[in-house]
Structure formats: C-alpha cells, structure tokens
Amino acid sequence: MTRRRTFWEERIEENPGHSAWYIQRWRTMRENGDDIVGEGRTIDAMVPRGARILDAGCGQGRLGGYLAACGHTVVGVDVDPALVAEAERQFPAATWRQGDLAELDLPAAGIDAGFDAIVCAGNVVTFAAPGTQRDILRRFGDHLAPGGRAVVGFGAGRGYAFDTFFDDVEGAGLLADLRLSSWDLRPFTDGSDFLVAVLRRTA
Ligand SMILES: C[S@@+](CC[C@H](N)C(=O)[O-])C[C@H]1O[C@@H](n2cnc3c(N)ncnc32)[C@H](O)[C@@H]1O
C-alpha cells in the first residue's frame, strides 16, 4: 500500500525552505535564552536514570538531544530528512532515523523496541497524514517496554479533535492514564486548548 504523505511533507512541497526555516526558528529561540526543553524535563522526571527513550517526530532533535545529555539512550525518528540530518549534526550522542511513525518498526532496523518512554511533542500528531494517527499510536504501543509510557502533546484547532484522539488511543490498545493541559502538569478540563496525554498499553 502506498504511504500517505504527512501534512509536514506537504508543507515542504509548498515551500522547500520550510525545514531550514524550522531549524532556524529553534536556533533563534535557543540563542535568545528561551527555555526549549521543558517537555524533556517532564519526560526525564518520569523515567529511571539511563532509560531508553524514543523521540517520536523528533524534528531537529531539541528534546531527544536534551534527554541524551541527561544520560538516557535516545532514538529519534522523523519523516523529514533535513531535520534528521540537523539532529545528527547537533546531537551525535543519540541515534536518529528518518521514517514515518505510521510504519514504525525499529526492530526491523536492528534497534530494540522496549522503550521506557516515548515522547511525541510539538503537535506531531496534527502534522501526520489524516487518519494515520491510530496506526501511529498502535506502533507506539508495540515499541513500549512493560510499564513504559507514551506522552503525546498537541493543541486544539489543528484538524485532529481531542475526542478523535481518545478514540484512536482506545482503538490502538492504549489507555490514557493521565490527561493534562500542559507539559508542566496542569489539569485538562473541558475548556483546555492543549492536551498532554500520558498513555500506556491496556494489556
Ligand atoms: C512541529 S514539528 C515538532 C518537532 C519536535 N517534536 C519538536 O517538538 O521540536 C512536527 C514534526 O512532526 C514530524 N512528523 C509529522 N508526522 C510524522 C510522521 N507520520 N512520521 C514521522 N514524523 C512525522 C514532522 O516531520 C515534524 O518534524
């Protein structure tokens, strides 16, 4: 079956400078002294020292790079080859792979599954090809260690409703243990415009 192109790839097709712009955007924030690793600190607090962490839709590696510097074993996967190349350049301590999360199969690439945590931050699920999110979540479940957790964060109004996400979570054999509205752990309510969901395998 032909792979469905992600929204991110459509953006690149519309504007070939998109990836370079995105890399520069984070570089500028870092140079300005902005905090660009907050999600990483939350993940670091959830796992034992020296954990295995998958940065799913890693972009240019800001979070996986931070987590590798904390001493974790990090694998990052992203569909955008320019961002993966930038992650490799900036953060050689982690392993970076180009690929579509909807087809994620790291053991086939010689990388063990069994991650203690999967971080999927920065609206990745809203940039995926529509209708592939359930496959992505199922792949997350396949790559979790017993007791491992996946954390997915994304905003409202981006074409992927929170209710649809929770249906997909259930359909993928996962359970939302915790629903938050921010990476600094504020509760999710009916009016929340951002979701951070902490997921684990049902069985
Ligand atoms: C806004 S960026 C966020 C990058 C990174 N997570 C961060 O927060 O810095 C969204 C990323 O999701 C990636 N992405 C979207 N759908 C994907 C998919 N199906 N497989 C792999 N990467 C995907 C894009 O290539 C892009 O790098």
Side-chain angles (χ1 to χ4, degrees):
M1 205 172 77
T2 325
R3 187 179 74 82
R4 296 177 64 191
R5 216 162 44 134
T6 64
F7 274 141
W8 191 266
E9 289 164 292
E10 285 182 8
R11 291 231 174 142
I12 294 169
E13 193 169 294
E14 284 159 17
N15 169 19
H18 183 66
S19 307
W21 164 80
Y22 189 71
I23 290 166
Q24 185 55 45
R25 180 172 169 255
W26 286 109
R27 189 177 294 145
T28 302
M29 282 193 273
R30 195 188 58 224
E31 287 168 1
N32 288 343
D34 294 341
D35 177 10
I36 64 164
V37 295
E39 302 99 317
R41 286 196 301 276
T42 301
I43 297 297
D44 181 50
M46 291 173 59
V47 294
R49 299 306 82 195
R52 295 190 70 241
I53 299 176
L54 173 64
D55 186 352
C58 58
Q60 91 299 13
R62 69 183 171 104
L63 298 175
Y66 168 78
L67 289 162
C70 292
H72 302 299
T73 299
V74 174
V75 179
V77 176
D78 199 283
V79 77
D80 181 339
L83 297 187
V84 172
E86 180 65 12
E88 278 169 345
R89 195 187 67 76
Q90 280 192 43
F91 307 107
T95 300
W96 307 102
R97 289 281 180 276
Q98 194 269 333
D100 190 327
L101 296 170
E103 301 178 341
L104 188 71
D105 184 358
L106 289 173
I111 298 172
D112 287 346
F115 288 93
D116 300 298
I118 298 175
V119 56
C120 186
N123 293 307
V124 170
V125 289
T126 70
F127 285 108
T132 61
Q133 288 92 349
R134 188 173 296 204
D135 293 330
I136 291 173
L137 291 165
R138 198 174 287 121
R139 299 279 171 155
F140 285 178
D142 293 343
H143 286 75
L144 281 176
R149 292 176 292 173
V151 190
V152 180
F154 67 101
R158 291 176 163 269
Y160 184 41
F162 295 147
D163 283 349
T164 310
F165 170 76
F166 288 120
D167 285 348
D168 286 341
V169 165
E170 197 181 330
L174 299 173
L175 198 71
D177 263 344
L178 204 52
R179 299 173 187 209
L180 303 163
S181 67
S182 68
W183 287 91
D184 63 352
L185 314 184
R186 296 181 196 280
F188 183 81
T189 64
D190 285 347
S192 294
D193 60 5
F194 198 82
L195 170 67
V196 176
V198 181
L199 313 173
R200 67 173 163 86
R201 276 208 304 248
T202 316

